[in-house]
Amino acid sequence: MRIGELSARTGASVRMLRYYEEQGLLTPVRTDSGYRIYQESDVDRVARIRCMLSAALPSGVVGQALRFLLDGRAAIPDQPADRARLADTLQRELDLLTGKIESLRSSRDLLATIVADVRGDVVGPGRPGDPGRAVVRRSVRKAGPAVGHAR
């Protein structure tokens, strides 16, 4: 199948498919006239690529995982030390992603509280917690001599 059909079947843009090829994640066959020809198995491959990239895995890690999961190549050697290194790389990515999820969850909870307070008319001018009159607002200036600034 050609690139347009693969794009339509996977939801990945033509530009993204070219990017995946550039990163070594897809390897279409080229015709004599230069057209890319993809295999049926590339539909599943693109789905896995998109899933892993959306999980914020770097393309290099995605490439390693694809070689192990789909290609049957010796990208993950039988040597326990080499397998452990790949597992450690994947675990670091998993830990980073978990940290990002926790941070986003905290941000979401805070925003939900603020929205609920605003909707419930709990905060705002004249409401408890309104710093309006109690806070002295000052402009922030870069360090340097104050010109024409009187107190």
Side-chain angles (χ1 to χ4, degrees):
M1 83 187 80
R2 301 224 334 232
I3 196 167
E5 182 181 347
L6 183 61
S7 173
R9 289 183 60 188
T10 62
S13 69
V14 169
R15 182 174 180 178
M16 286 310 301
L17 294 173
R18 289 183 183 133
Y19 172 77
Y20 299 160
E21 180 183 1
E22 180 183 297
Q23 295 298 307
L25 304 175
L26 273 177
T27 52
V29 175
R30 294 287 188 138
T31 65
D32 291 339
S33 56
Y35 289 104
R36 294 169 177 87
I37 302 296
Y38 296 92
Q39 305 302 312
E40 184 65 31
S41 61
D42 288 328
V43 173
D44 179 54
R45 185 178 196 89
V46 170
R48 290 176 188 246
I49 291 168
R50 294 184 76 194
C51 178
M52 288 186 272
L53 290 176
S54 71
L57 291 176
S59 60
V61 174
V62 172
Q64 286 181 309
L66 288 173
R67 285 188 292 278
F68 177 69
L69 295 170
L70 300 176
D71 297 346
R73 290 189 229 150
I76 298 183
D78 292 333
Q79 300 300 317
D82 294 335
R83 293 178 69 86
R85 271 196 300 277
L86 177 58
D88 289 345
T89 298
L90 293 172
Q91 185 64 54
R92 278 192 302 276
E93 294 300 328
L94 180 60
D95 293 344
L96 287 170
L97 186 56
T98 300
K100 289 176 186 176
I101 289 169
E102 290 168 1
S103 178
L104 285 170
R105 187 172 289 129
S106 294
S107 295
R108 184 201 174 282
D109 291 347
L110 177 60
L111 183 57
T113 299
I114 293 169
V115 168
D117 287 349
V118 169
R119 287 189 192 282
D121 204 22
V122 175
V123 295
R127 302 284 185 259
D130 175 29
R133 283 172 250 132
V135 174
V136 177
R137 290 178 173 74
R138 298 183 185 138
S139 63
V140 178
R141 298 179 184 267
K142 290 184 179 180
V147 178
H149 183 70
R151 289 190 176 223

